[in-house]
Amino acid sequence: MTSCLVAGTALFGAAGVSAADSPSPSASTDSGTDPNADSSASPGTDGPTEAGTSFRTATAVKPGQRATASASTGDYLYWVVPLDQGQRATVKAKVSLPKAARHGAATWQLDVYDGLRRRQACQYGAQTRTAARDADSVELSCTLRTVRGWAEPWANDPLPGSYYVRLTVVDLPQEDLGLPVHAEVRTDTADAGGAQAVDGSLAAPLVPGAGVTTPQGDATPTEGATPTDGATPQDGASASPDRVTAAAPDGGWSSGWWSDRWIWTAVGGLLAALAGIGGYSLTRGSGRPARVPQRD
């Protein structure tokens, strides 16, 4: 019996271990990196060197990639990244400010929208920060809630699909508009495990059907447009491999039926069976009838 309990405890421990806003009229998306940027600040795979100017032209980037863009102060910069169920994403952004004399402080903001263009709240992180007049850079971060496999239609829970990252300045002196800046964005994901799993999954991830490059300065969809409205290619416009809806994560979208809760359920059933066997062996007695005293 002792050996059974030890084996169950070891198995239990092993399971625990295994276990639409208007964009800027024209954004500068010059390729290349800023010579003043710290190249060693963000380890990982280098991604695109440009950013979109709206939801429809958001630049696709994978989790773990460091996307960069050179733009002008006041531009709206958009990236799109795929997030699957069970993932908790942390989006980080760094804006290298111009060396030229500025007229005052500037407030930058990092927003994240899901595939339905619903703004997602940050669990924690500095989503909005103000850079002093003489600051060299400003860093922002946003840790989202864990992506769920299924949710009620009225809920605002994050669901599997494309997530749009938007970076822009929200408050600064009028005289500082148009100054050159360099932005870096990276999205890292962590597996939340079966503790966040739900009994259900979407029929398909929330991936809008936008996948065509639109000319610079094209506005976001007008009021009343559905999230699945795609951009119509203009004469002479061609699709860009970087300017498409976020591709599926490595390994494809999760099917939704597997989570490490199955392991915990199996381990719990095994421990319950061992406990039942142990309790029975302790309470059944020796198996021999009690001796009855004889009368004289």
Side-chain angles (χ1 to χ4, degrees), residues 202-230:
L202 296 180
L206 302 179
V207 178
V212 178
T213 302
T214 54
Q216 293 294 331
D218 187 22
T220 51
T222 57
E223 294 183 1
T226 60
T228 56
D229 288 341

Side-chain angles (χ1 to χ4, degrees), residues 42 67 90-94 110 139-143 165 184-188:
S42 301
T90 299
V91 184
K92 296 182 179 180
K94 178 181 179 181
L110 180 68
E139 297 185 6
L140 307 99
S141 66
C142 174
T143 298
V165 179
E184 299 180 9
V185 172
R186 176 173 171 172
T187 302
D188 294 311

Side-chain angles (χ1 to χ4, degrees), residues 69-105:
S70 297
S72 300
T73 304
D75 289 341
Y76 286 82
L77 305 179
Y78 288 82
W79 295 268
V80 58
V81 60
L83 296 180
D84 204 358
Q85 70 176 47
Q87 292 182 337
R88 181 181 293 115
T90 299
V91 184
K92 296 182 179 180
K94 178 181 179 181
V95 182
S96 300
L97 302 174
K99 299 296 184 180
R102 302 193 298 273
H103 296 81

Side-chain angles (χ1 to χ4, degrees), residues 146 192-198 259-261 264:
T146 302
Q196 299 293 334
V198 295
S259 72
D260 56 8
R261 290 196 304 173
W264 290 102

Side-chain angles (χ1 to χ4, degrees), residues 49-74:
T49 56
E50 59 179 10
T53 58
S54 68
F55 286 102
R56 290 188 176 185
T57 60
T59 298
V61 60
K62 295 181 179 181
Q65 282 188 326
R66 183 175 63 95
T68 60
S70 297
S72 300
T73 304

Side-chain angles (χ1 to χ4, degrees), residues 51-288:
T53 58
S54 68
F55 286 102
R56 290 188 176 185
T57 60
T59 298
V61 60
K62 295 181 179 181
Q65 282 188 326
R66 183 175 63 95
T68 60
S70 297
S72 300
T73 304
D75 289 341
Y76 286 82
L77 305 179
Y78 288 82
W79 295 268
V80 58
V81 60
L83 296 180
D84 204 358
Q85 70 176 47
Q87 292 182 337
R88 181 181 293 115
T90 299
V91 184
K92 296 182 179 180
K94 178 181 179 181
V95 182
S96 300
L97 302 174
K99 299 296 184 180
R102 302 193 298 273
H103 296 81
T107 302
W108 289 80
Q109 184 166 305
L110 180 68
D111 296 307
V112 182
Y113 298 84
D114 64 7
L116 298 179
R117 301 186 188 179
R118 302 176 302 181
R119 185 174 181 271
Q120 292 295 319
C122 301
Q123 277 192 316
Y124 50 87
Q127 185 179 7
T128 303
R129 272 189 171 177
T130 300
R133 179 179 179 180
D134 56 348
D136 295 331
S137 63
V138 58
E139 297 185 6
L140 307 99
S141 66
C142 174
T143 298
L144 302 174
R145 296 172 294 170
T146 302
V147 178
R148 295 167 56 89
W150 179 86
E152 295 290 346
W154 47 262
N156 194 36
D157 296 327
L159 296 171
S162 299
Y163 280 76
Y164 296 89
V165 179
R166 186 184 71 179
L167 178 65
T168 189
V169 64
V170 294
D171 185 30
L172 82 166
Q174 189 71 19
E175 297 82 0
D176 291 342
L177 282 174
L179 292 178
V181 293
H182 181 79
E184 299 180 9
V185 172
R186 176 173 171 172
T187 302
D188 294 311
T189 58
D191 188 4
Q196 299 293 334
V198 295
D199 295 328
S201 61
L202 296 180
L206 302 179
V207 178
V212 178
T213 302
T214 54
Q216 293 294 331
D218 187 22
T220 51
T222 57
E223 294 183 1
T226 60
T228 56
D229 288 341
T232 302
Q234 305 294 330
D235 295 336
S238 59
S240 170
D242 289 336
R243 295 283 185 90
V244 297
T245 303
D250 294 339
W253 297 102
S254 175
S255 61
W257 69 271
W258 169 258
S259 72
D260 56 8
R261 290 196 304 173
W262 289 98
I263 301 177
W264 290 102
T265 302
V267 172
L270 177 60
L271 292 179
L274 293 176
I277 295 173
Y280 174 75
S281 63
L282 292 175
T283 58
R284 69 172 181 167
S286 62
R288 294 178 298 177

